[in-house]
Amino acid sequence: MDTALTELVVKICLEVRQGLTQEAAVDFGKLVASQKSAQDHVCWLGAVETCLVTAARCKQVELAQGWLRAVSPLLVGAEQQSVAGLIAARGELLLKLCFAVCDKRLEKLFPLLQAQWRGWLDAVENTQEVQLLCGELLNLAARMARRGWRPEVRFVLRLVARAALKGGRQKQEERLPLWRSILARLSLHFTGYARWDSFAKACEAYGELVSLLLLLARRSGRKDLPWAVRTASLQLALRTVRDLVTNNARSNMQEDMDIFRQWYQYLWQLAGEDPARKHKLLLLLQLSIRYWQLTLPKSSKKQLRFLEDLLQPNLINAEYEELLQSVS
């Protein structure tokens, strides 16, 4: 970072900390204008990042909103020109800003950050970059969950879910490694939270996990997708549930069937009075129990009879049964 740019950033940050919002806004305008003549766009973006994070940590919400809107068109334009490293730097900016916004509980910035995240996902090509950022976001979600800050957890997990659906420009079958990475790390945090509090509380804290599992189950039922993608999607969803059930059962010195019961109670509450949603959730539960039965016969043999009521009425049609046999 050149001397003039450094001095301008320091001046802006000092003005923000001193509450001199008008002066800070004027000087940030100078920083934005300097983008056209900047020789190092990544360095310039680092300067923007410092200012935005400072505004967020000082709870200057209006400044942060205005500044993020001001630089967004410049970022998109530079990305379209394939400026080296800028897309990765923009991802880092969004990550650090998410940490600051969640730490200070600035919910007013959530919609704008979500829009910026969607824009970045549309620009990024490499899912490895998405995977790295999602890992950090899930670490952030775990911190927020421990604090009991549900809006922040929900916000972060929705960013991650968006990445699982849209991260990178690969085809559906090429995005499965990203799904595996996200679900593996999310399961790890879920299990850690359950040990700290309880399985039921973990279900509430990580409610978006069910949404991801439902998306995978729905994908497995799409006839327009290759059979390999369908089976891989279903296996990933059901293996995630099975491992969560067995790990939490061992941690709490319970039987697997006890955890399945707790999960059923949570899903039933989640479904509410919506028949369609209830059908999807109960289908996911039945598929999970059947997968557990097929892949862990020794554990399930004595316990399955205590879960028979959860398998009635049977929602698993012939097609899903065929998929189950393929992944077990």
Side-chain angles (χ1 to χ4, degrees), residues 213-227 229-235 237-238 283 287 319-320 323 327:
L213 295 172
L214 284 175
L215 285 169
L216 284 171
R218 186 174 65 182
R219 180 175 294 176
S220 69
R222 286 179 52 184
K223 296 182 180 180
D224 60 316
L225 293 177
W227 182 258
V229 176
R230 297 174 64 187
T231 54
S233 298
L234 185 64
Q235 185 178 49
L238 301 185
L283 173 61
L287 287 169
E319 186 174 7
Y320 268 115
L323 285 164
V327 302

Side-chain angles (χ1 to χ4, degrees), residues 287-305:
L287 287 169
S288 301
I289 293 174
R290 287 279 286 118
Y291 182 76
W292 167 72
Q293 175 196 5
L294 292 168
T295 56
L296 296 176
K298 291 184 179 179
S299 301
S300 61
K301 185 176 181 181
K302 294 181 179 180
Q303 301 180 53
L304 186 61
R305 61 191 179 94

Side-chain angles (χ1 to χ4, degrees), residues 1-275:
M1 190 180 294
D2 62 61
T3 304
L5 188 60
T6 301
E7 291 178 352
L8 181 59
V9 170
V10 170
K11 184 181 180 185
I12 293 170
C13 291
L14 285 174
E15 289 167 343
V16 170
R17 292 181 182 278
Q18 293 169 4
L20 303 174
T21 55
Q22 291 184 348
E23 291 84 348
V26 171
D27 286 328
F28 189 82
K30 296 176 183 177
L31 177 60
V32 172
S34 71
Q35 190 261 358
K36 294 181 180 179
S37 58
Q39 295 182 351
D40 188 338
H41 287 83
V42 174
C43 184
W44 174 83
L45 186 58
V48 170
E49 175 192 297
T50 301
C51 296
L52 282 169
V53 171
T54 300
R57 293 214 170 273
C58 293
K59 297 185 178 182
Q60 295 287 357
V61 178
E62 292 185 3
L63 278 181
Q65 285 176 324
W67 293 355
L68 200 52
R69 290 193 183 102
V71 299
S72 181
L74 302 179
L75 294 175
V76 174
E79 286 164 357
Q80 289 173 346
Q81 297 170 25
S82 300
V83 176
L86 189 61
I87 294 178
R90 183 185 178 190
E92 286 295 322
L93 182 154
L94 290 173
L95 177 64
K96 292 178 182 178
L97 193 54
C98 279
F99 269 79
V101 166
C102 288
D103 187 52
K104 296 301 179 180
R105 309 202 74 177
L106 306 178
E107 290 188 50
K108 288 184 178 180
L109 285 172
F110 286 178
L112 189 54
L113 266 178
Q114 285 174 334
Q116 294 293 330
W117 181 252
R118 288 195 298 269
W120 181 75
L121 290 174
D122 289 338
V124 69
E125 295 184 3
N126 189 349
T127 54
Q128 289 184 344
E129 290 183 33
V130 181
Q131 184 174 321
L132 288 172
L133 262 64
C134 284
E136 292 300 324
L137 285 173
L138 289 171
N139 290 339
L140 172 60
R143 295 184 194 180
M144 299 299 104
R146 284 297 185 99
R147 297 179 187 179
W149 293 0
R150 296 293 169 78
E152 285 71 21
V153 176
R154 190 179 304 114
F155 165 68
V156 174
L157 291 182
R158 286 180 178 176
L159 294 183
V160 174
R162 180 77 183 187
L165 289 170
K166 300 292 185 181
R169 297 179 182 177
Q170 284 86 348
K171 297 178 182 178
Q172 295 284 356
E173 56 268 29
E174 296 172 342
R175 203 176 292 135
L176 280 171
L178 176 60
W179 277 89
R180 292 191 187 98
S181 173
I182 288 173
L183 284 174
R185 191 176 289 267
L186 185 53
S187 298
L188 185 65
H189 290 310
F190 181 102
T191 301
Y193 189 96
R195 288 175 183 170
W196 174 66
D197 201 335
S198 68
F199 182 81
K201 294 291 186 180
C203 287
E204 294 175 4
Y206 290 94
E208 278 64 27
L209 174 60
V210 174
S211 299
L212 289 172
L213 295 172
L214 284 175
L215 285 169
L216 284 171
R218 186 174 65 182
R219 180 175 294 176
S220 69
R222 286 179 52 184
K223 296 182 180 180
D224 60 316
L225 293 177
W227 182 258
V229 176
R230 297 174 64 187
T231 54
S233 298
L234 185 64
Q235 185 178 49
L236 179 57
L238 301 185
R239 183 179 291 172
T240 299
V241 176
R242 183 200 65 187
D243 292 348
L244 281 175
V245 168
T246 56
N247 289 338
N248 281 278
R250 292 191 191 99
S251 298
N252 297 306
M253 300 180 66
Q254 294 179 304
E255 299 288 355
D256 293 0
M257 64 180 184
D258 298 323
I259 303 299
F260 270 121
R261 283 280 176 193
Q262 292 180 51
W263 197 45
Y264 164 73
Q265 292 172 1
Y266 171 71
L267 294 180
W268 187 262
Q269 289 181 328
L270 194 63
E273 300 299 323
D274 186 339

Side-chain angles (χ1 to χ4, degrees), residues 274-288:
D274 186 339
R277 185 165 178 78
K278 188 174 295 184
H279 181 277
K280 293 176 183 177
L281 291 171
L282 291 179
L283 173 61
L284 176 63
L285 174 68
Q286 291 185 1
L287 287 169
S288 301

